Amino acid sequence: MFMANIAGVRVHYTGDYSREEDCHLCAAEIPQFSPDICIIESTYCVQLHQPRNVREKRFTNVIHSTISQGGRVLITAFALGRAQ
C-alpha cells in the first residue's frame, strides 16, 4: 500500500489485500490517514471463502489420495502474492 499526494489530493493505492493473517503474510493494516481517493485491486472482491484449515485439508487430502493411488501431482501457481 502507498499514498501519494497529488496537487493536494491524497490518493491511496493498494493491491489485493486480506485482513486475515496468512501462514506467510501478515494481515493488512488499516492506514492511519483518510484518502480522498482509494484505488484497490480486488481479485476476490466480496467472495466468501471456506476457513483456511478446511481448504488446506481438502487440498492435502486430494494430494495424498492421488499419490497413494500411484498418481503424480503437479501444482501450478503464479509466482506472485501467496505463491511466493
Side-chain angles (χ1 to χ4, degrees), residues 1-2 10 12-15 18 22 24-26 28-29 31 37 40 48 53 55-56 65-66 70 76 81:
M1 294 185 202
F2 67 89
R10 293 175 306 228
H12 179 239
Y13 174 83
T14 179
S18 176
D22 201 335
H24 66 282
L25 291 173
C26 298
E29 296 179 4
I37 298 172
I40 304 172
L48 297 176
N53 62 335
R55 289 179 283 146
E56 287 177 353
S65 174
T66 301
T76 58

Side-chain angles (χ1 to χ4, degrees), residues 4-54:
N5 191 325
I6 303 169
V9 177
R10 293 175 306 228
V11 180
H12 179 239
Y13 174 83
T14 179
D16 202 2
Y17 66 92
S18 176
R19 294 282 298 140
E20 182 180 320
E21 184 95 11
D22 201 335
C23 59
H24 66 282
L25 291 173
C26 298
E29 296 179 4
I30 297 172
Q32 298 300 313
F33 54 84
S34 297
D36 298 306
I37 298 172
C38 189
I39 303 169
I40 304 172
E41 187 273 317
S42 57
T43 301
Y44 295 109
C45 194
V46 293
Q47 290 183 355
L48 297 176
H49 297 283
Q50 292 178 320
R52 180 192 335 278
N53 62 335
V54 172

